[in-house]
Structures are given as C-alpha cells and as structure tokens.
Amino acid sequence: KQDFEPLRADMETAIGLPVKMFFASDYAGVIEAMRFNKVQLGWFGNKSAIDAVDRAGGEVFCQCIDKDGNPGYWSLIVVHKDSPINTLEELFAKSKELTFSNGDPQSTSGFLVPGYYAFAKNKVDPKTAFKATRNGNHEANALAVANKQVDAATFNSEAMYKLEARNPEAAKKLKPIWKSPLIASDPMVVKADLDPDLKQKISAFFTKYGKTD
C-alpha cells in the first residue's frame, strides 16, 4: 500500500476524481471485485488479465515495461543458497524428500509458466512429485525459502528486484535454479463500460507516467 500511494495520488490529480486502492491476497479476489464493479482498474498478470476480460467485463489498455524498456520478465524456481540443489534435474531427482511452494493458480509466472515449461515438459506433476506441496504468492514463497520453511518455490525476476530493495537479507538467501523463457510484461485492465473520456484520461496517465519529456 505504501509503495502505491504516490501513484494513487498522482492518478487522482491527473483524472480529477478520487482514487481508492483495493488489495487482495490473490488474483481471484481482484477479478471478483472487478466483476461486481468494486474495482474499475487493475494490474494483473497475463493469465488473470484474460480472466478479468472474460469474466469481469475488463479491457486491456496498456502493458507494463521495466525502467530499461524491456517488455518482459522471467519466472524462476528458487532454493535456499545453502541448498545442494543447483539444477531442475537435481530438484526432480530428490523431489520425494523435498517440500515445494507453487504460485497462486491465477499467476502467470508463479504457476502457469513453470507449470508448463518446468513441470509438464518434463512430465512431472508438482502436486504429487514432492513430499509436500503448497501454494503462496511471490513474496510468501520467497520468504518461505529464505527462512527454510520450504525447500523450493516459484518466484519471478520482477519480484526478486523488489525483494532485493525491500528485504536484501532475504534476497541474498535465495538461489535461482531455473529460469523460464521471456514472459510478456503485465497488462493493465480497465472496466470496458467506463465513460470513454475517463478511460482516455486513465490511459494517458499510465502511458505517460514515469517518462521524461
């Protein structure tokens, strides 16, 4: 909430309307809030954005890029830095002895991409391959590995940058052992039935935000 407060205030000034923030512990909560018009604008992952369009009357209007202009990021599987495991093959070889935290089922980088590229392509079912499997969001997964509560977890490169800034000691305890192909960056979704002038103001705000003339 603290991280987003400057953006909220700037957006409120730019569009001339009060802007309230809504947070949920998973993407499904945001999708349902948009479906019932409690949320009119959301930052989603690719998979959850599709669901927001299909189920909640959403409309994609822009894509996030990083500070260097890259239009993507990477899914990761991480272990503790002290772990003897260094590759995906080693993880699978010892999986029956290990605990694993998968991502939010609505997460592109935390669930969908590793589910296909790391697991399905290697004919491994994460629900049955490990001694125990659970689900968590990116930050929860990273901290669970850093604190040795689980042996391995999904994560992503964007969340790693944030963790390095916010909790560098925890970030130093993580060791990526797998990196996905490039994933298209997150889309922003607005309710399709909003007033067209308001949608234009929102789009103009986000596409110009953080850029210098």
Side-chain angles (χ1 to χ4, degrees):
K1 185 174 182 178
Q2 183 177 349
D3 290 346
F4 277 89
E5 175 54 28
L7 184 143
R8 185 208 64 78
D10 290 342
M11 181 180 172
E12 189 169 272
T13 300
I15 68 173
L17 290 172
V19 176
K20 297 180 181 179
M21 292 189 287
F22 173 86
F23 297 91
S25 60
D26 56 26
Y27 284 121
V30 185
I31 293 167
E32 286 302 294
M34 180 171 279
R35 181 183 170 201
F36 290 101
N37 204 35
K38 294 181 179 180
V39 164
Q40 292 78 41
L41 170 70
W43 179 26
F44 292 90
N46 290 287
K47 182 181 184 300
S48 56
I50 292 171
D51 285 343
V53 170
D54 289 344
R55 293 167 41 201
E59 177 182 284
V60 174
F61 70 93
C62 71
Q63 178 193 27
C64 300
I65 58 174
D66 69 16
K67 61 184 178 62
D68 298 317
N70 295 314
Y73 64 112
W74 294 267
S75 174
L76 304 172
I77 292 178
V78 295
V79 299
H80 195 277
K81 68 179 181 63
D82 296 335
S83 172
I85 295 169
N86 293 295
T87 66
L88 199 61
E89 292 72 23
E90 292 174 2
L91 181 72
F92 292 157
K94 296 184 177 181
S95 61
K96 287 299 181 184
E97 307 168 19
L98 305 173
T99 54
F100 180 73
S101 190
N102 213 340
D104 176 346
Q106 289 287 350
S107 172
T108 302
S109 61
F111 191 88
L112 184 65
V113 168
Y116 176 71
Y117 286 101
F119 293 105
K121 292 192 76 171
N122 289 294
K123 296 181 172 59
V124 174
D125 183 352
K127 291 183 291 186
T128 58
F130 295 95
K131 181 172 66 175
T133 302
R134 69 187 201 186
N135 294 82
N137 62 34
H138 296 309
E139 184 176 16
N141 279 356
L143 295 178
V145 173
N147 295 326
K148 296 186 176 181
Q149 295 168 335
V150 297
D151 296 299
T154 61
F155 200 37
N156 75 36
S157 57
E158 284 184 340
M160 180 71 87
Y161 297 145
K162 293 175 185 175
L163 189 67
E164 287 170 346
R166 184 177 291 125
N167 192 340
E169 290 306 310
K172 289 176 184 177
K173 295 178 182 178
L174 302 181
K175 177 172 65 174
I177 61 166
W178 176 82
K179 182 178 179 180
S180 74
L182 185 71
I183 304 168
S185 290
D186 296 339
M188 299 289 294
V189 178
V190 68
K191 287 285 283 186
D193 60 359
L194 277 187
D195 177 80
D197 289 340
L198 178 56
K199 285 199 290 184
Q200 194 280 325
K201 288 179 181 179
I202 292 171
S203 179
F205 169 73
F206 278 99
T207 53
K208 295 175 182 177
Y209 196 65
K211 295 181 179 179
T212 57
D213 294 332

